[in-house]
Amino acid sequence: MIVYFNNKTANSLVLELNQDKILLKSGNRIKIDSETNRMQFNCYLNEGSKFKYLPLSKSVIIEYSFILDSFYDVVFNQQICDIDLIQKQVRGNNLDCYTFIDLQFTSGNINDKEFCVIDELSAKNQLSTAQEKEAKLEKKLKIADIMQTVCYIGIPALIIFIGIWYFADIKTALCILIPLTIVTTVVGLLLKKLINKFNNKLDKINSKFEKTNDKYVDVNSFFDKNYIRNVLINNTSNNSLC
């Protein structure tokens, strides 16, 4: 039997068939002879996964854009079959976006299909580098937060100290300022701790709510085949570009 593969995407793609890799440019068509009515093959865009970062940052990722390797096990019911290879993109609920090759044909059925990130190793390395930079950024932000707190407390305290010293004496100023500073600092820290606890509880509640139909655990889930399948099944109807 004869199978025609038509690249209907706007980009070049790779077709892996019988241990052969065939580069099929946009709009091109290739003829494959098959001895049986069953064919197994892989197909994927000829490009790599990319991460989108927050402007002016190379650590805070705002979108994970992955290229998938699509495996198909197809059975044909005619001697001549045309398969259109089309590009689809779907978004998950965790800033993730997957681009894969889907099939359109009428003279057969798909027995099985499976998806994985085509450049998993390099994508994980890129993710690891971003996480290391993000950890360093968090430390810097904590230091900045401490400095900000010191300014909020220290500057008003200094103004009060100078004022009392001007109208009274330095001993009176210290006697009033030291207890006032201690009380203010303790109250401020307690309020900050309570606010953080409240925010953490909200995050946990939102996380549980969002993941009721989501297999996401952490960033490693992006490479898990079950998670990928779940994203594609639940979001295939939404094919907006990533």
Side-chain angles (χ1 to χ4, degrees):
M1 66 179 305
I2 299 173
V3 180
Y4 291 98
F5 287 94
N6 308 303
N7 183 359
K8 296 292 186 177
T9 76
N11 305 288
S12 297
L13 60 82
V14 177
L15 179 67
E16 292 187 5
L17 181 66
N18 297 327
Q19 298 181 341
D20 293 326
K21 286 187 178 182
I22 304 167
L23 181 63
L24 197 58
K25 293 183 178 180
S26 175
N28 283 8
R29 171 185 174 98
I30 189 172
K31 173 184 174 183
I32 302 294
D33 293 320
S34 177
E35 296 179 355
T36 67
N37 69 331
R38 184 177 180 181
M39 184 178 289
Q40 295 180 333
F41 57 91
N42 293 65
C43 49
Y44 49 88
L45 290 176
N46 190 34
E47 55 186 84
S49 302
K50 298 177 182 178
F51 297 161
K52 186 183 292 185
Y53 295 89
L54 193 69
L56 304 178
S57 168
K58 274 296 181 181
S59 59
V60 181
I61 300 173
I62 58 176
E63 183 177 272
Y64 305 83
S65 184
F66 299 104
I67 302 298
L68 295 182
D69 179 2
S70 307
F71 164 79
Y72 291 103
D73 182 355
V74 181
V75 174
F76 305 105
N77 52 30
Q78 293 183 7
Q79 289 300 311
I80 299 177
C81 178
D82 266 273
I83 297 180
D84 290 338
L85 305 172
I86 62 173
Q87 177 179 322
K88 284 191 177 180
Q89 294 175 305
V90 296
R91 291 183 183 274
N93 299 319
N94 305 285
L95 305 178
D96 47 333
C97 174
Y98 292 97
T99 303
F100 67 102
I101 301 300
D102 198 10
L103 308 183
Q104 283 187 348
F105 65 106
T106 56
S107 54
N109 297 291
I110 298 175
N111 267 354
D112 190 23
K113 55 185 176 182
E114 195 170 273
F115 304 92
C116 65
V117 177
I118 187 65
D119 53 349
E120 179 175 338
L121 182 59
S122 62
K124 282 184 174 180
N125 289 336
Q126 187 178 352
L127 181 58
S128 177
T129 301
Q131 287 176 322
E132 289 175 1
K133 291 181 179 179
E134 187 173 4
K136 291 179 181 178
L137 179 62
E138 286 179 357
K139 289 181 180 179
K140 292 179 181 179
L141 290 176
K142 285 181 180 178
I143 294 172
D145 184 56
I146 293 171
M147 293 301 295
Q148 186 181 42
T149 303
V150 169
C151 289
Y152 284 156
I153 297 173
I155 292 175
L158 182 62
I159 294 172
I160 294 170
F161 175 75
I162 293 172
I164 296 173
W165 186 7
Y166 179 80
F167 289 104
D169 54 60
I170 189 169
K171 185 177 180 180
T172 304
L174 289 174
C175 289
I176 295 173
L177 185 64
I178 291 174
L180 182 62
T181 302
I182 293 172
V183 171
T184 305
T185 303
V186 171
V187 171
L189 291 173
L190 287 173
L191 285 174
K192 189 173 182 179
K193 190 173 182 180
L194 288 172
I195 291 170
N196 286 338
K197 281 187 176 181
F198 180 73
N199 288 335
N200 288 335
K201 286 183 179 180
L202 282 179
D203 289 340
K204 287 180 180 179
I205 292 171
N206 291 332
S207 178
K208 287 180 180 179
F209 179 75
E210 289 175 359
K211 294 176 184 178
T212 51
N213 294 314
D214 196 340
K215 297 181 182 296
Y216 180 83
V217 177
D218 54 33
V219 291
N220 291 314
S221 299
F222 293 144
F223 307 96
D224 182 78
K225 291 181 179 180
N226 290 327
Y227 173 77
I228 295 172
R229 179 182 287 271
N230 185 69
V231 172
L232 298 190
I233 290 173
N234 292 330
N235 299 281
T236 299
S237 59
N238 179 16
N239 294 326
S240 59
L241 295 180
C242 296

